[in-house]
Amino acid sequence: MSPMDAVPRPAPPRINPLQRIWLREIGMERLWLRTPPVAPPAMAPVTARVVAPEAASAVPPAPPVRSPVAPPVSAAEPAAVPTPVSKPAPAAAATPAAEPASGRASAIPASILNRSGPPPRPAPKVEIKDEAPPPIPVAEAVKDADLEQLAAQVVACAACGLCQGRRHAVVGHGAQPTRWLVVGEAPGEQEDRQGQPFVGRSGQLLDAMLAAVGMSRERDVFITNVIKCRPPGNRNPKPEEIAACSPYLMRQIALLKPERILVLGRFAAQTLLGTDATIGSLRGRVHQLKTDEGAQIPVVVSYHPAYLLRSPSEKARAWQDLKLAARDL
Ligand code: URA
C-alpha cells in the first residue's frame, strides 16, 4: 500500500450543471470529477503557476506568479478550449480558480484553460504504441512514379512475402522507346542472382526467338515479368503476390507505351488479360489491352520459353505467334 492510499480523499470539487456540460464537451468530465489524491504532507503548497503543461517537464519550475484572469470564453466557441484529454489533468483538490459564482457560461475555470490555476500534475499514462505507419498500397505509390522512381520502389518493395527470399528484385530491362514489351512470369534463380530478366536458359531461347523476327532487347524490346521477385523454388505466384505486384507492371505499361505486348506463358497471359482461359485458347489471335489512360495496346500470347525448352515440338506454334506479333497490327 502506498502512503497515498492511506490518506482519506476529499470530495470532488462542486461544479454547476453548465460547467459539467463544458467539461464533458472537452472530454475532461471524468478527469475533473475524479477525486484526486491528497498531496503528501511533505509537499510544499504551490500557488498557481503559468506553465504550459507540455513544457512543465522540460523547463525548471518558474517562480510563482499571480493567476491571470481567464478571459471570457463564449459558449459558442468550444473549439477554442485547447485542452486535449491526454494533457495533464487539473491539479489535486483544486477548486477552479475562475469558477463563476453565478454559474454563467462566460467563465470556464481558468485551470481548464491552462492559463492559470493549480500546477499541472503528471498526465495519466497513455500507452503510445510505437507502430510503423501503415504501408502505402502499391497502386497508390506508383501512380505518379517515373521509370526511375518505379525501379527504386520495386527494389525496396515489401508488399508481399517474396521480398524476404529475394536476392534481387527484377524490375525489367530493355529499349526505350519500346516497340515490344515482353512479359514473362517471374524471375528464376539466375534472374534473382543478377537482377535482370530472362538471363538463364529461357532467356537465351527468348533472344533467339526475338532475333528471328528482327527484334533485339537492346534496340526494340523491353522485358519484364508480372512478378518482380523470385518465388521460392520457382513455385507459381500466389494470388496475393500477383495482386501486390501487378500495379508495377501496369505502371510500366503506362510509362513505356509499347507498340505491342508479347505475353509469355499461361500465367502472365491470364494475369494481364484478366482471364482464366487456357493458353491454347488465348494464343493465335490479337487481344487488346485497355490502359487506364484510354489507350489500346495489341497483345499477343505465346508459350513460355521454359515450356518450349521442355516441349521443343511446340516451337513451331511459337513461331506462328511471333509472326503474328510482328505483323502490322
Ligand atoms: N522466366 C520468367 O518468366 N521470367 C524470367 O525473367 C526468367 C524466367
Side-chain angles (χ1 to χ4, degrees), residues 4-5 21 31 43 94 101-102 107 128 152 156 192 245 283 299:
M4 300 278 274
D5 294 330
I21 291 168
L31 286 175
M43 242 169 86
S102 66
I128 296 168
D192 175 60
C245 212
R283 55 169 295 280
V299 176

Side-chain angles (χ1 to χ4, degrees), residues 83-103:
T83 314
V85 185
S86 58
K87 293 270 172 71
T95 314
E99 184 173 352
S102 66

